[in-house]
């Protein structure tokens, strides 16, 4: 099945493994919150045990250094795609309000990005992530 939209997450490659996983989880929650229509139906196994719904389309995860991550953010904003962002300063906070304050305290060009996520039309996402490789 081919979707009209694409979800892409771009994560800085020099992070520790736990940080990469944490960033991916937080960023995809931003996609789910902004696009509730991307959530599929709830799951149920053959025993009747019910499970939570998941995002119902593939999420492509790319790796990037800091410069490429900033370039992807600029490309997204230029194309009117509103991304979810995660900055290095957010690793030092302990709650959601503090995360927002950490981002609010820094101008966009000075954000120390560690990840972004976005959902848009396939061709638009392809232009935003052009030149990036899948995260390994």
């Amino acid at each position: 099945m081919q979707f009209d939209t694409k979800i892409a997450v771009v994560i800085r490659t020099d992070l520790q493994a736990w940080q990469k996983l944490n960033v991916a989880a937080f960023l995809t929650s931003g996609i789910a919150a902004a696009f509730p229509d991307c959530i599929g139906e709830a799951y149920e196994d053959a025993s009747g045990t019910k499970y939570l719904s998941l995002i119902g389309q593939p999420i492509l995860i790319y790796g990037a250094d800091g410069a490429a991550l900033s370039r992807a953010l600029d490309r997204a904003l230029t194309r009117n795609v509103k991304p979810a962002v995660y900055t290095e300063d957010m690793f030092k906070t302990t709650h959601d309000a503090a995360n927002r304050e950490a981002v609010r305290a820094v101008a966009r060009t000075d954000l120390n990005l560690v990840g972004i996520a976005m959902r848009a039309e396939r061709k638009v996402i392809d232009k935003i992530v052009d030149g990036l490789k899948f995260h390994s």
Side-chain angles (χ1 to χ4, degrees):
M1 169 181 231
Q2 183 162 338
F3 295 90
D4 294 335
T5 60
K6 187 180 276 190
I7 298 172
V9 177
V10 184
I11 298 177
R12 210 172 69 198
T13 54
D14 65 342
L15 301 177
Q16 295 178 41
W18 74 266
Q19 290 173 313
K20 292 175 185 180
L21 295 171
N22 185 265
V23 169
F26 271 100
L27 290 173
T28 55
S29 73
I31 298 298
F35 301 99
D37 60 313
C38 77
I39 305 298
E41 297 295 321
Y43 287 75
E44 182 176 343
D45 65 26
S47 302
T49 305
K50 297 186 185 313
Y51 304 97
L52 296 175
S53 301
L54 303 174
I55 291 175
Q57 71 181 94
I59 300 170
L60 304 173
I61 301 182
Y62 298 87
D65 62 15
L69 195 50
S70 293
R71 187 170 49 253
L73 175 62
D74 290 341
R75 288 175 177 176
L77 295 172
T78 299
R79 290 167 174 80
N80 296 317
V81 173
K82 184 191 280 186
V85 298
Y86 201 101
T87 68
E88 193 164 315
D89 292 336
M90 292 166 69
F91 288 128
K92 301 172 192 162
T93 64
T94 58
H95 56 88
D96 190 46
N99 285 344
R100 285 192 301 281
E101 287 301 320
V103 174
R104 186 177 292 121
V106 180
R108 180 171 56 93
T109 56
D110 296 325
L111 289 173
N112 190 357
L113 294 170
V114 295
I116 62 172
M118 60 224 124
R119 179 180 185 238
E121 292 179 17
R122 296 178 61 79
K123 290 180 182 181
V124 173
I125 293 293
D126 288 344
K127 289 179 182 178
I128 293 169
V129 299
D130 185 48
L132 298 180
K133 305 266 188 241
F134 287 122
H135 204 299
S136 58

